Amino acid sequence: MNDAPSPRAAEIASALTSVGERLTRACLDAGRDPDDVQLLPVTKFFPASDVAILYGLGCREFGESREQEASSKVAELGELDAAGIGDVRWHMIGSVQRNKARSIAQWAYAIHSVDSPRLVDALAKAATAALGEGGREQPLRVLLQVSLDGDPLRGGVPLDELAELAERTESAAGLELSGLMAVPPLGADPERAFAALQAAHTDLLRGHPAATELSAGMTGDLEVAVRYGSTCVRVGTALLGSRPIASN
Ligand SMILES: *Cc1c(COP(=O)(O)O)cnc(C)c1O
């Protein structure tokens, strides 16, 4: 056996170190404890072998944005389980159709992109069934995706409907309200966007003190997000390279 890392493994290891340093610096610059902000590698569009490399480097949580791609990758990694990959937590971060709720409830530890009452209801039903059948052991953690510009095409719940959606999630069986997520609108000033998100999170915490997660920040804007209270930055490009165009 040759234990020298492959070129791809060396490349990913070096990127992971750089992103880790960048995140630590962002936390220190913001006067925050680096342990309070999670780095969530986003592996969409990249093969299961890259996830296995990240796993070998100590990563245990991964973000995926398309249900079919994610569920086949989860299955593929299950087959590589000689490495003990059973302890991985998968996060669904992309927009979701209700008819995918059953599948998501089988593999996702958390979903960051919940933005409608109908999706909450579908996920509650699916997670409850999965809990009953042994398909999962813990409630599905839900982050509500907030729309910061009110454009329904880009996903996210408008701010004036957030409180009601949070209530519905909190009282749904099989779900656990964990916090909020947002992606700044295209062309928007990230400072203003993340400030608005942080204000919405502060409001939410008054009624839902356990909803402490704030999923905000990506490759291009993680420093700003950390300044505005992010607890989880979702990073793809800086770790794995650029994706094909139109890859959201
Ligand atoms: C793809 C994606 C990311 C990662 O974005 P990068 O700019 O590649 O770091 C983060 N969040 C969501 C919702 C995504 O779809």
Side-chain angles (χ1 to χ4, degrees):
M1 285 286 282
N2 175 4
D3 282 343
S6 69
R8 181 62 174 156
E11 179 176 56
I12 293 176
S14 143
L16 181 62
T17 302
S18 308
V19 172
E21 287 169 1
R22 198 178 143 193
L23 183 57
T24 300
R25 199 173 327 116
C27 290
L28 297 178
D29 286 350
R32 299 187 56 198
D33 182 342
D35 287 344
D36 291 346
V37 187
Q38 175 189 6
L39 170 62
L40 180 66
V42 174
T43 49
K44 68 182 181 204
F45 278 88
F46 289 95
S49 55
D50 281 357
V51 182
I53 289 171
L54 285 165
Y55 183 91
L57 294 166
C59 301
R60 292 294 179 272
E61 309 206 17
F62 303 99
E64 284 283 335
S65 69
R66 299 183 307 172
E67 197 286 321
Q68 266 183 335
E69 176 187 344
S71 52
S72 60
K73 219 175 277 181
V74 172
E76 218 179 314
L77 282 158
E79 287 163 17
L80 297 176
D81 209 12
I85 258 165
D87 58 348
V88 163
R89 288 172 169 174
W90 294 92
H91 296 243
M92 178 62 181
I93 63 172
S95 67
V96 168
Q97 284 168 334
R98 276 178 303 144
N99 62 6
K100 302 291 182 174
R102 271 178 68 89
S103 173
I104 288 169
Q106 298 293 326
W107 59 262
Y109 165 75
I111 172 167
H112 294 219
S113 42
V114 176
D115 61 359
S116 75
R118 285 158 51 135
L119 182 55
V120 167
D121 295 351
L123 289 168
K125 192 169 159 213
T128 303
L131 286 162
E133 295 156 2
R136 63 182 305 120
E137 287 169 359
Q138 292 176 350
L140 178 60
R141 297 166 68 90
V142 167
L143 286 76
L144 301 176
Q145 182 177 352
V146 174
S147 167
L148 297 170
D149 60 0
D151 178 356
L153 291 178
R154 294 191 27 91
V157 60
L159 282 173
D160 60 358
E161 294 169 23
L162 177 59
E164 202 177 317
L165 195 60
E167 279 308 322
R168 196 182 192 100
T169 306
E170 185 92 283
S171 57
L175 305 182
E176 187 177 305
L177 178 63
S178 300
L180 299 183
M181 180 273 234
V183 179
L186 280 176
D189 171 8
E191 297 266 347
R192 288 187 57 178
F194 288 133
L197 178 63
Q198 185 177 39
H201 190 219
T202 303
D203 268 358
L204 179 79
L205 282 167
R206 274 189 213 110
H208 306 276
T212 53
E213 296 291 336
L214 188 59
S215 170
M218 316 191 284
T219 291
D221 56 15
L222 70 87
E223 284 83 2
V224 188
V226 164
R227 254 187 280 136
Y228 288 98
S230 173
T231 63
C232 174
V233 296
R234 310 175 307 269
V235 177
T237 307
L239 287 174
L240 296 175
S242 37
R243 297 177 294 270
I245 295 186
S247 68
N248 289 311

